[in-house]
Amino acid sequence: MSESSESDEKRSADLPTPDHLLHTGAERPIDPEDLVRLSGREPTPERVEEARRLLEEQGPAAAERYLP
């Protein structure tokens, strides 16, 4: 990996998730990737799987801990 692409990755990791990528569930059901993004983290396979498990156990209420 080049030095410039490494610095680009570091900068993008420090930026918040853009609003257009977040969903409240009002316009469509929340999916596991939405839940991960709502938590302020970038989706990885492990995080998406954990979010899928939480949604199965708690349903849409799993997102409420991240909402004001």
Side-chain angles (χ1 to χ4, degrees):
M1 187 180 301
S2 72
E3 187 174 319
S4 67
S5 62
E6 285 180 22
S7 63
D8 288 344
E9 282 184 22
K10 288 178 186 175
R11 275 185 294 213
S12 66
D14 294 334
L15 298 174
T17 303
D19 288 346
H20 73 275
L21 294 177
L22 298 174
H23 306 281
T24 64
E27 61 280 344
R28 64 181 177 85
I30 190 166
D31 65 25
E33 187 173 322
D34 293 333
L35 187 60
V36 174
R37 289 188 185 279
L38 186 61
S39 72
R41 300 176 293 168
E42 288 299 314
T44 64
E46 296 81 14
R47 290 176 181 158
V48 170
E49 186 55 39
E50 176 65 17
R52 181 175 285 110
R53 186 186 61 74
L54 282 172
L55 285 169
E56 286 175 4
E57 291 175 3
Q58 301 174 13
E64 289 181 13
R65 67 177 160 180
Y66 300 110
L67 299 173

